[in-house]
Amino acid sequence: MEASKVIHAIYTDDEVLMSAVKKVKSEKHHIEEIYTPFPVHGLDKAMGLAPTRIAITSFLYGCVGLTVAIVMMNFIMIKDWPQDIGGKPSFSYLENMPAFVPIMFELTVFFAAHLMVITFYLRSRMWPFKKAENPDPRTTDDHFLMEIAIHDNESELTSLLQETGAVEINIVDKDEDAH
Amino acid sequence: MEYKISNRLRLAAIIMVVLGLLGVGYGFMDAHSVTEDNISEILAAEHDAHGGGHATEGHGSAGHGNDHAKTSHDNSHGESASHAEEGHGESAHGSLTEHEEHALHQIHNRPYAALYVAAFFFFMIALGVLAFYAIQYAAQAGWSPVLFRVMEGITSYVLPGGIIVLLIAFFADSHLFVWLKDGVTDVNSENYDYLVAGKSSWLNKTGFFIRGAIFLGGWALYRHFSRKFSIAQDSADDNRNFKKNFRISAAFLVFYIYTESMMSWDWIMSVDPHWFSTLFGWYVFASMFVSGITVIAMITIYLKSKGLLEFVNDSHIHDLAKFMFGISIFWTYLWFSQFMLIWYSNIPEEVTYFVTRIEHYKLPFFGMLAMNFIFPLLVLMNSDYKRIPWFVVMAGIIILCGHYLDVFNMIMPATVVERWSIGIPEIGSILLFGGLFLFIVFTALGKAPLLAKGNPFMKESKHFHY
């Protein structure tokens, strides 16, 4: 069952946040989300997040781009209308390949880069006019916020978070429509 | 950490040198068993053996026809000097035909070229490491100081290796450099070559060795002082030696990029004195840089496996492997830029270079592309694999073989043309200089502690984590 109440612990220092994350993890509490104003090195590892697979998608997209380039130019330059253009050997793809390499390279990079970025947007649900999911505007400036779901352990969690150096602890009703 | 070259390694190196010497000796004897007296019979025997093959090759498409036309053009171009004087040539050499004379030269060139390729290959590794080392100093890199002693060990081969290359060039003379043939600059000689004569203000033996001495002197001086300051820094209580090293490294890099470029014209490009390419210096640089970095990675992994570099962690190996990956692609970029520009414009005086190579060296020429580009690209792309020592070593072996072939493809087509092979003279030369390289490098590694502990970036480097 999805928890309806969450606890927001706010920190002002990334070092303190890191040790707090380690402590909360060692107490076996599940961290819902952490909001930071900038990337905190090692935070994903401390939270135990699975490594990203976006590089793998990018490699595959690159392969698609390379294939598109080869198929396209093979059809246009070799199969469809093999003209003699300035003496270039358009008898087979291989014979004229050096001339196609710049395009093959660029399309590989183009597909790998753009499709990877779009994948990133899709997976992290980002688009124009999207309503910001920000529980506290200060987390975009100089505060760090850790969100933990409450399962009838409110006082225990509060005291644990207090120990870790949180400067502010709020209990809020989770607004499911915010997403 | 102290290191001493192990007896087994020393013995292995000595065995390699001895076997190499035997191979090289055999190469010279074998080549000189072919003389003016028996060249005709040997060629006749060859023709009989190849006859069948040539007949089937005749069934070519239109594309093939083009290739053949280019080849014959290439041949006449490469040897225009003697062809222009064909009549004189035959009368002067009595019984030998033009063809026999060329074949004889190519057969005699082979052991010299084999020696030169291997000598240059191992020298270029040491020089590439020296450039990498200077860059680490000049950039004040924080990750690499734990590897400085390994690099210093490898660069100890710069001076002996360079001297060997120059000595081979001196004794091989016109066996390697056709512009050293008697009479190429003399209008009245049968060997007169108008194009080479025009370049003789640069391409002459005195100039070649004066420049060679300046290049090598500069590199060896930098290596001497950087090593000296690096050792002095170990026991110093301030950073004076480090600062000196920083300054001389920056100065060396300026000197290096000029001299490396000129060295590549002199020592490599001039084997084809009719041909020229502007990015050749960069191309040779990329080749030496990537082989150098590969050797750093391999020796580091070797020493670490002996438990001697416990301060080197996975991230250092990862960084070296990233450099191997990146510079391999940089090398390919330059290789392709040189090839594609010349292929595309197809100007006869330039394109002969690649026509000879594609015609006679198809396998080494495209094989090296697979070894130096496709293989590292696919193998070293994954971040996890770059941290696995045996993976890096395997990739390193392929890259080194690929760059040996690269040097092979630069020298051989100009000296032995279609009479190439990777046989006893070539492998013997690799063993000879490989053994010498191992011996000198590992002896030098034993002369100083393996941790340059005085380096101000040492702490950062030890904790380097990627």
Side-chain angles (χ1 to χ4, degrees):
Chain A
M1 200 187 88
E2 191 55 35
S4 57
K5 273 190 164 183
V6 290
I7 194 159
H8 282 172
I10 295 180
Y11 300 85
T12 50
D13 188 279
D14 52 337
E15 300 274 327
V16 180
L17 174 77
M18 281 296 282
S19 59
V21 169
K22 280 169 197 158
K23 179 118 189 208
V24 171
K25 286 304 279 187
S26 68
E27 301 282 329
K28 303 264 184 280
H29 290 293
H30 176 69
I31 300 171
E32 293 273 291
E33 194 62 271
I34 293 181
Y35 297 87
T36 65
F38 53 78
V40 178
H41 189 73
L43 186 59
D44 51 341
K45 217 169 232 165
M47 286 173 73
L49 298 181
T52 172
R53 288 168 295 183
I54 201 152
I56 299 168
T57 68
S58 181
F59 177 77
L60 296 175
Y61 296 145
C63 295
V64 172
L66 184 63
T67 313
V68 167
I70 292 172
V71 170
M72 175 183 78
M73 286 183 294
N74 187 45
F75 176 70
I76 298 172
M77 303 302 290
I78 311 294
K79 294 271 157 57
D80 192 31
W81 200 350
Q83 282 195 103
D84 180 346
I85 302 167
K88 284 274 156 292
S90 50
F91 307 107
S92 78
Y93 191 78
L94 207 57
E95 270 180 284
N96 210 2
M97 198 195 67
F100 303 145
V101 166
I103 299 157
M104 285 154 66
F105 170 77
E106 294 294 348
L107 275 183
T108 309
V109 174
F110 180 86
F111 272 64
H114 288 83
L115 292 180
M116 178 177 75
V117 167
I118 293 169
T119 307
F120 169 73
Y121 285 155
L122 290 175
R123 290 293 290 147
S124 49
R125 298 166 194 283
M126 286 189 351
W127 57 86
F129 313 114
K130 179 192 162 78
K131 191 171 176 296
E133 297 168 18
N134 195 343
D136 191 323
R138 289 175 299 170
T139 60
T140 62
D141 183 16
D142 59 350
H143 284 61
F144 303 82
L145 188 150
M146 187 196 299
E147 183 180 291
I148 302 172
I150 296 172
H151 302 281
D152 304 322
N153 52 359
E154 195 179 315
S155 57
E156 184 207 334
L157 261 179
T158 316
S159 63
L160 173 68
L161 291 171
Q162 217 109 50
E163 266 175 54
T164 60
V167 292
E168 199 180 310
I169 294 175
N170 304 320
I171 290 149
V172 288
D173 286 317
K174 193 158 187 180
D175 182 6
E176 289 297 337
D177 299 333
H179 294 242
Chain B
M1 263 304 190
E2 292 291 345
Y3 169 77
K4 268 279 165 278
I5 179 167
S6 66
N7 282 330
R8 269 169 62 197
L9 190 64
R10 185 184 291 130
L11 193 65
I14 291 170
I15 290 173
M16 280 169 79
V17 170
V18 171
L19 282 179
L21 278 174
L22 287 175
V24 170
Y26 171 80
F28 276 99
M29 272 169 44
D30 192 41
H32 284 281
S33 67
V34 181
T35 58
E36 292 192 10
D37 303 326
N38 62 10
I39 180 75
S40 309
E41 294 113 72
I42 286 171
L43 288 185
E46 253 178 42
H47 274 283
D48 287 344
H50 286 290
H54 278 293
T56 47
E57 259 174 46
H59 300 278
S61 62
H64 266 111
N66 274 347
D67 285 349
H68 284 299
K70 273 188 216 149
T71 323
S72 60
H73 180 267
D74 157 56
N75 282 343
S76 68
H77 193 83
E79 291 140 19
S80 62
S82 26
H83 270 272
E85 313 283 327
E86 208 158 327
H88 299 275
E90 274 175 30
S91 60
H93 284 271
S95 59
L96 281 193
T97 66
E98 199 65 20
H99 175 59
E100 283 167 350
E101 205 192 317
H102 284 152
L104 190 62
H105 277 307
Q106 290 165 5
I107 289 167
H108 284 177
N109 289 345
R110 186 174 159 200
Y112 289 104
L115 260 187
Y116 192 69
V117 169
F120 184 82
F121 174 69
F122 285 101
F123 164 71
M124 116 180 154
I125 290 172
L127 188 59
V129 172
L130 191 66
F132 189 73
Y133 176 76
I135 290 172
Q136 301 305 306
Y137 259 113
Q140 304 198 10
W143 67 278
S144 50
V146 290
L147 304 170
F148 276 179
R149 284 292 145 80
V150 176
M151 297 184 211
E152 285 164 17
I154 300 170
T155 56
S156 63
Y157 187 74
V158 166
L159 186 59
I163 291 172
I164 290 167
V165 172
L166 282 176
L167 278 179
I168 296 171
F170 184 82
F171 287 110
D173 204 72
S174 63
H175 283 293
L176 283 174
F177 305 105
V178 283
W179 49 269
L180 281 172
K181 262 199 281 191
D182 287 330
V184 268
T185 55
D186 178 3
V187 196
N188 300 316
S189 165
E190 59 174 72
N191 282 334
Y192 179 67
D193 184 325
Y194 176 72
L195 290 173
V196 171
K199 295 180 183 184
S200 61
S201 55
W202 180 274
L203 288 182
N204 56 75
K205 199 163 186 174
T206 329
F208 181 95
F209 286 99
I210 289 175
R211 286 192 302 274
I214 293 172
F215 304 156
L216 198 55
W219 303 331
L221 268 182
Y222 167 70
R223 139 79 201 172
H224 173 78
F225 282 107
S226 68
R227 168 77 164 182
K228 194 178 133 193
F229 294 145
S230 171
I231 302 265
Q233 182 67 38
D234 275 2
S235 49
D237 42 17
D238 56 10
N239 284 335
R240 215 171 48 235
N241 291 298
F242 174 78
K243 285 180 187 162
K244 276 190 211 157
N245 238 345
F246 170 73
R247 279 191 219 108
I248 61 169
S249 299
F252 164 74
L253 286 171
V254 176
F255 175 79
Y256 169 80
I257 205 62
Y258 282 102
T259 48
E260 188 275 333
S261 196
M262 286 188 263
M263 175 274 278
S264 72
W265 310 335
D266 268 1
W267 297 9
I268 298 191
M269 200 157 76
S270 80
V271 296
D272 282 294
H274 287 181
W275 181 79
F276 45 85
S277 164
T278 6
L279 60 68
F280 197 74
W282 274 108
Y283 172 65
V284 173
F285 163 75
S287 207
M288 66 170 65
F289 206 49
V290 69
S291 336
I293 293 165
T294 304
V295 170
I296 298 174
M298 289 168 83
I299 292 186
T300 305
I301 289 170
Y302 169 75
L303 291 174
K304 194 172 158 56
S305 75
K306 298 263 162 213
L308 293 162
L309 295 174
E310 83 287 351
F311 40 83
V312 170
N313 59 38
D314 282 357
S315 295
H316 295 111
I317 307 293
H318 189 157
D319 256 34
L320 285 170
K322 273 194 279 190
F323 265 107
M324 284 159 63
F325 175 77
I327 308 296
S328 282
I329 290 172
F330 178 63
W331 173 87
T332 315
Y333 166 62
L334 294 176
W335 176 86
F336 183 71
S337 301
Q338 179 167 280
F339 172 73
M340 195 261 234
L341 284 184
I342 290 173
W343 172 87
Y344 209 111
S345 59
N346 204 17
I347 301 171
E349 68 196 60
E350 290 180 341
V351 86
T352 63
Y353 186 82
F354 288 111
V355 170
T356 334
R357 277 153 185 79
I358 291 174
E359 196 67 14
H360 300 303
Y361 290 73
K362 208 164 228 138
L363 183 65
F365 189 67
F366 293 109
M368 102 181 155
L369 199 60
M371 291 165 90
N372 291 341
F373 174 58
I374 299 171
F375 188 83
L377 178 84
L378 295 177
V379 166
L380 290 177
M381 193 185 297
N382 190 315
S383 187
D384 296 332
Y385 294 170
K386 289 199 274 266
R387 309 179 86 91
I388 304 172
W390 69 265
F391 226 92
V392 176
V393 171
M394 294 319 267
I397 290 171
I398 301 282
I399 291 176
L400 286 182
C401 293
H403 284 281
Y404 170 80
L405 273 186
D406 187 16
V407 183
F408 187 88
N409 282 327
M410 290 194 267
I411 302 290
M412 289 299 183
T415 48
V416 302
V417 201
E418 74 271 29
R419 293 176 179 280
W420 69 275
S421 157
I422 298 188
I424 292 173
E426 286 79 12
I427 293 169
S429 309
I430 296 173
L431 284 176
L432 170 59
F433 294 114
L436 206 61
F437 181 85
L438 286 180
F439 186 79
I440 290 175
V441 167
F442 280 92
T443 307
L445 278 171
K447 283 185 182 154
L450 287 178
L451 181 67
K453 66 176 194 300
N455 192 296
F457 289 107
M458 192 45 80
K459 197 167 175 214
E460 179 182 343
S461 181
K462 276 183 177 173
H463 294 123
F464 172 68
H465 167 78
Y466 168 72

